[in-house]
């Protein structure tokens, strides 16, 4: 998913609308004291790192990393530091972070085990890690109520999209593994919950932007025709379908 495509900005906006309230609730629970050093992994957009910077204050630091930082320029001012960084291949951008957070990142990283250990190694003693990732396999249909041809077409296109993700190394059942993985890497007080929006304007906007962004690959792979995609986008724009997203599983723990 190229961050420089026009649809990428729409997708980031929908992630903000759908998931920021849940993310901020968890971050508040973990405690972001003034002066805290935070690392936002695979930041993509600016909403979370800007929130962390406000909580950390002028004496803190919020490091935002991504392989493509083109949408982070607006946040590049103290205490925010933006770095081009591949969490699956490079060493952490520092150490002794009091908080490390990643949302919708590891599910897409082929070297996800190395990336997770990198984030753990960047924590200071008693530092907190919050990982939030989708688990599409827990919610197979985008339209849970598949009562008509529009819903059946939507679900078929979503299955095609997930096929593309799996071919590129995404783990579509990664979210459910997070509590176990955090315990296995030595974190303490591990907890998790899940959030699964079923119908909202942001769900509809996310579906439209995602399909437009990958339509050429869906057609090239023989998973849909241009006519089917046009028909589906028209169905989405009509606003008559209840579109769900995959459950977002949040898991957190504490470094000893």
């Amino acid at each position: 998913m190229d961050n420089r495509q026009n649809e990428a900005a729409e997708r980031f906006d929908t992630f903000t609308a759908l998931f920021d309230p849940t993310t901020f609730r968890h971050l508040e629970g973990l405690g972001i004291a003034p002066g805290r050093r935070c690392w936002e992994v695979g930041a993509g957009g600016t909403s979370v790192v800007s929130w962390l910077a406000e909580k950390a204050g002028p004496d803190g630091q919020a490091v935002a990393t991504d392989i493509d930082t083109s949408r982070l320029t607006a946040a590049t001012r103290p205490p925010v530091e933006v770095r081009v960084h591949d969490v699956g291949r490079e060493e952490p951008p520092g150490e002794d972070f009091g908080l490390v957070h990643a949302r919708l990142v590891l599910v897409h990283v082929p070297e996800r085990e190395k990336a997770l250990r990198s984030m753990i190694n960047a924590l200071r003693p008693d530092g907190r890690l919050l990982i939030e990732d989708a688990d599409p396999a827990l919610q197979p249909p985008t339209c849970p109520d598949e009562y008509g041809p529009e819903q059946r077409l939507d679900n078929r296109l979503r299955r095609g999209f997930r096929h593309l993700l799996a071919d590129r190394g995404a783990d579509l059942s990664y979210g459910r593994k997070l509590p176990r993985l955090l315990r296995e890497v030595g974190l303490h007080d591990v907890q998790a919950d899940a959030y699964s929006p079923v119908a909202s304007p942001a769900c509809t906007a996310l579906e439209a932007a995602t399909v437009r962004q990958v339509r050429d690959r869906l057609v090239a792979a023989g998973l849909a025709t241009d006519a089917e995609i046009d028909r589906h986008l028209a169905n989405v724009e009509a606003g008559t379908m209840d579109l769900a997203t995959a459950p977002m599983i949040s898991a957190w723990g504490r470094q000893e």
Side-chain angles (χ1 to χ4, degrees):
M1 306 293 281
D2 186 352
N3 284 359
R4 296 178 186 272
Q5 289 180 265
N6 291 334
E7 293 83 3
E10 298 175 47
R11 296 181 75 248
F12 286 134
D13 287 345
T14 62
F15 293 152
T16 294
L18 286 169
F19 301 123
D20 274 8
T22 297
T23 294
F24 295 160
R25 173 171 59 84
H26 289 310
L27 291 173
E28 285 277 16
L30 294 176
I32 311 295
R36 181 69 59 91
R37 293 187 70 233
C38 307
W39 177 18
E40 176 67 10
V41 183
T46 63
S47 65
V48 177
V49 71
S50 296
W51 187 93
L52 290 173
E54 181 179 351
K55 295 293 183 179
D59 295 327
Q61 183 185 35
V63 178
T65 63
D66 207 319
I67 57 174
D68 181 351
T69 60
S70 58
R71 298 194 179 277
L72 289 167
T73 304
T76 309
R77 57 184 180 275
V80 174
E81 179 181 341
V82 174
R83 297 190 191 183
V84 176
H85 179 264
D86 186 337
V87 69
R89 299 181 179 180
E90 300 180 63
E91 293 299 312
E95 55 187 17
D96 292 329
F97 286 102
L99 174 84
V100 176
H101 172 249
R103 186 175 76 190
L104 294 173
V105 175
L106 292 186
V107 68
H108 299 290
V109 177
E111 308 88 353
R112 58 185 63 89
E113 181 178 351
K114 180 180 178 181
L116 181 58
R117 292 193 175 275
S118 176
M119 288 186 271
I120 298 293
N121 292 337
L123 287 170
R124 73 180 191 189
D126 202 42
R128 266 60 171 182
L129 176 69
L130 172 62
I131 305 292
E132 301 181 294
D133 254 310
D135 195 311
L138 280 178
Q139 186 263 318
T142 307
C143 288
D145 184 16
E146 191 181 81
Y147 64 89
E150 297 89 352
Q151 289 74 24
R152 288 192 288 273
L153 175 59
D154 179 272
N155 287 339
R156 182 161 67 82
L157 293 180
R158 178 56 53 152
R159 287 193 294 271
F161 174 59
R162 290 172 183 169
H163 177 80
L164 294 177
L165 287 175
D167 281 350
R168 293 179 64 86
D171 183 348
L172 301 185
S173 60
Y174 189 68
R176 74 190 71 178
K177 303 173 185 176
L178 286 172
R180 170 175 56 84
L181 294 175
L182 296 194
R183 289 194 302 270
E184 289 178 351
V185 295
L187 291 188
H188 297 262
D189 304 327
V190 173
Q191 299 180 60
D193 65 14
Y195 170 63
S196 185
V198 173
S200 76
C203 289
T204 301
L206 178 60
E207 174 70 9
T210 299
V211 170
R212 289 199 306 271
Q213 192 166 8
V214 300
R215 72 174 296 156
D216 290 346
R217 277 163 280 182
L218 287 170
V219 172
L223 297 168
T225 66
D226 275 315
E228 288 173 328
I229 292 174
D230 287 339
R231 186 164 71 250
H232 172 59
L233 290 173
N235 293 337
V236 172
E237 186 176 353
T240 57
M241 295 192 296
D242 294 320
L243 300 172
T245 70
M248 173 74 78
I249 297 180
S250 304
W252 59 95
R254 174 179 60 84
Q255 180 76 294
E256 188 172 19

